[in-house]
Amino acid sequence: MKTKHILYLLIISGLLVPAFAMPVLADEPMPIWVHQARVTYTGRSSGGPDSIVAYIHIRDDNLVRIEGATVTASWEWDVRGVTGALAGVEAETNEQGIAIFEIFKGAGDYTLCVDDVTKETNEEGDSWVYTPGSNWVTCDTYILPPYKTTDKP
């Protein structure tokens, strides 16, 4: 009878101890990286101007969306043979982990490339480090053809 009680005690201990064990968290920063970069045209609307919009998705190693990260990027464009560039533009990621950039110079080719991602240490002491080697994609291009009118007979 005593052996049976000891066996039950060992089984219960084996089930309860892991349930209450707390994982030890590393003091190392969590790697963050660019999950997706997408450039698109928002179209014409009566309520606002045309624009080219870039959506940059930031994730950590657990694929968690990172809110509050600062994404630094550079635009390049070629509009009717006139090239231009704008470096060092910044946007902060929203609750979905997406930084949004906008530009419009007319019909042409637009490219946005991510240069850097930073995120401040939070109140709990969690920290993040940008790991460019983990990026899935850092640049995207959108080509907006010139608007063409057609003569109707």
Side-chain angles (χ1 to χ4, degrees):
M1 186 74 135
K2 198 169 200 174
T3 307
K4 191 176 185 181
H5 286 352
I6 293 173
L7 184 60
Y8 284 135
L9 183 62
L10 288 174
I11 291 171
I12 290 173
S13 297
L15 295 174
L16 291 179
V17 170
F20 291 107
M22 296 296 289
V24 177
L25 299 176
D27 290 334
E28 296 180 16
M30 172 65 81
I32 59 176
W33 45 277
V34 180
H35 178 257
Q36 182 180 9
R38 184 171 52 99
V39 178
T40 188
Y41 174 60
T42 59
R44 298 174 191 256
S45 69
S46 59
D50 293 347
S51 66
I52 299 293
V53 180
Y55 300 95
I56 307 299
H57 300 247
I58 305 299
R59 301 289 186 266
D60 70 11
D61 270 2
N62 298 317
L63 294 178
V64 173
R65 299 169 177 158
I66 300 299
E67 179 180 2
T70 301
V71 178
T72 306
S74 299
W75 281 106
E76 291 184 3
W77 61 86
D78 183 345
V79 176
R80 296 186 183 111
V82 178
T83 59
L86 182 60
V89 293
E90 292 183 348
E92 188 171 304
T93 55
N94 60 22
E95 64 279 352
Q96 296 175 334
I98 303 171
I100 301 171
F101 297 86
E102 273 188 74
I103 197 168
F104 193 73
K105 303 290 183 185
D109 301 358
Y110 294 86
T111 300
L112 182 104
C113 291
V114 175
D115 300 322
D116 194 21
V117 180
T118 58
K119 180 160 172 63
E120 299 294 323
T121 302
N122 66 14
E123 293 148 4
E124 291 83 27
D126 300 325
S127 61
W128 295 265
V129 62
Y130 178 49
T131 54
S134 299
N135 291 338
W136 286 10
V137 62
T138 56
C139 296
D140 192 30
T141 299
Y142 186 85
I143 300 171
L144 178 62
Y147 179 70
K148 294 183 180 179
T149 60
T150 57
D151 294 327
K152 293 186 178 183

